[in-house]
Amino acid sequence: METASTRTARPLVNARTAAVWAVLRKELERHEGRELTVLDVGGGTGGFAVPLAQSGHTVTVVDASPDALAALTRRAADAGVAARIRAVQGDGDALAGLVEPGSVDLILCHAVLEVVDQPADVVAAITAALRPGGAVSVLVAGRAAAVLGRAINGHLRSASALVNDPEGHAGARDTLRRRYDAETAAALLRSAGLEVEETHGVRVLADLLPAAVVEEDPQALLELELALSARPPFRDIASQLHLFARRRS
């Protein structure tokens, strides 16, 4: 019988996700031979959930969008992992009513903390859902990249607003409520009792290069993204910041 330790399914990565998967793979290898209980908060259509299920783990995806969850269900069925994925409609700050406290080994919270009403409440709920020793993968929008992107495109007033706003918000037309730098994101996690182990930049270059350059040599771009992802100042100008943290007790 095939077990989590014998499965070799690996997610197909590209330059936009490679840094995240590199960290997640290390955590999966740390628990090799064990089926993990995974929670994907805001996991949408299953870009991470389905590969994790294919690797032999059980995944609960909590998302507010019924359409995204329907797409997730179809995707899981097509991949042959429907039995390993549970779709739950709900919000990140309501995890206490959706997930048993202290029951989860690994939580993914990607592109969530920049859009919710109260990010501290979501992080507190995530911490409560983790088992002692459990880990969380957090992906947030980076402030520096947004400032540089707007300035380079000639939107200087919008760039200035991002610099001066305490939460990195650019005004009424901004689709995100806040953005982070490595320090503010780490402080948010630490305030909930999580210990940050690693911080990486995601999409350091991928969003800056013309499509023709990306398509010409995607492997070279992937390797360069990985090389720069943990090196300040390159890490700090990435479009997204990835923090990997653990609940110690």
Side-chain angles (χ1 to χ4, degrees), residues 28-42:
L28 299 182
E29 290 167 1
R30 184 173 183 264
H31 298 281
E32 187 174 0
R34 180 179 165 215
E35 181 177 317
L36 298 182
T37 300
V38 182
L39 173 65
D40 192 350
V41 181

Side-chain angles (χ1 to χ4, degrees), residues 109 111-116 119 122-123 138-140 178 180 188-189:
C109 182
V112 172
L113 298 181
E114 51 270 77
V115 298
V116 295
V122 176
V123 175
V138 174
L139 194 62
V140 294
R178 62 191 66 82
Y180 296 86
L188 177 62
L189 300 186

